[in-house]
Amino acid sequence: MKLANLLSPDCTICAAPGNSKKNILEQISVLAANKISTSSAKELLNDLIDREKLSSTGIGKGIAIPHSKIDNTEQPVAVLITTDKAVDFDAIDNKPVDIFFALFVPEDSCQQHLETLASVAKYFSDKDNSKNVRRCTSADQLYRLVANG
C-alpha cells in the first residue's frame, strides 16, 4: 500500500518535543483519535502500550513503527512524527528513536496490516529516505516527502 493512501497532513508532525516513549505514544494517539471516531485517544494509547509490552516496535536505526488493530473502523490511519531529539524506545538495536510512523488498522484486515507494515519498513530502511525525513523542517515538507515517496 502506498504511504500516501494512509497518511494525511493533519497526522504529520515535524520536530515534536519528545521526552519519553509514553509521551510520543500519547501524541500519536491524540492525532489518530481525530481520525478514528470510534476510539478515544486513551483507548488508542492503551492499545499501543499493550502492543509495546509484547515487544518494542523500534526497528532500529532511529525508527519505530508503533501499531495496533482497531475494532469498528474500516480505514487504516497513519501518524508520522519526527522528534526534536531522539527518545529511548527500547529499539532492537538499543538506539534512541526520532522517526515514528504509527499505524492503526481495522481488526479484520490482518493481511493488509502485514503488507502495510512491510511497506513502511521498506520505505524507512532506505538510508536516503531516512536522511531526507530527518532533514525536514516543517510538517508540510515531511508529509509531502513521505506521501510522494
Side-chain angles (χ1 to χ4, degrees):
M1 173 173 279
K2 290 189 61 111
L3 300 184
N5 297 340
L6 296 170
L7 192 60
S8 62
D10 57 339
C11 284
T12 306
I13 297 179
C14 182
N19 54 20
S20 70
K21 183 176 189 173
K22 184 176 181 189
N23 176 260
I24 294 300
L25 295 177
E26 287 171 342
Q27 291 182 56
I28 288 168
S29 299
V30 168
L31 290 175
N34 291 327
K35 294 282 190 183
I36 304 169
S37 61
T38 58
S39 296
S40 69
K42 185 174 182 172
E43 290 169 325
L44 296 175
L45 174 62
N46 289 336
D47 289 342
L48 290 176
I49 289 172
D50 288 346
R51 171 57 189 85
E52 289 297 321
K53 287 177 183 175
L54 298 174
S55 66
S56 177
T57 56
I59 63 171
K61 299 182 181 172
I63 301 160
I65 310 174
H67 55 277
S68 178
K69 294 180 184 175
I70 306 298
D71 289 329
N72 302 321
T73 188
E74 295 179 20
Q75 295 298 318
V77 171
V79 174
L80 174 59
I81 295 179
T82 61
T83 53
D84 58 356
K85 62 181 180 177
V87 175
D88 182 22
F89 207 78
D90 303 316
I92 60 170
D93 63 358
N94 293 316
K95 294 189 177 173
V97 174
D98 62 347
I99 299 173
F100 301 86
F101 195 101
L103 291 168
F104 298 90
V105 297
E107 180 72 44
D108 58 353
S109 298
C110 188
Q111 186 61 34
Q112 179 188 22
H113 181 68
L114 294 174
E115 290 170 5
T116 303
L117 284 173
S119 295
V120 173
K122 182 178 178 184
Y123 178 86
F124 286 106
S125 68
D126 182 310
K127 287 182 185 180
D128 288 334
N129 288 340
S130 295
K131 279 185 194 176
N132 290 333
V133 163
R134 288 185 172 102
R135 288 184 186 134
C136 288
T137 57
S138 72
D140 182 58
Q141 181 185 25
L142 180 59
Y143 169 75
R144 284 186 283 117
L145 173 70
V146 174
N148 293 325

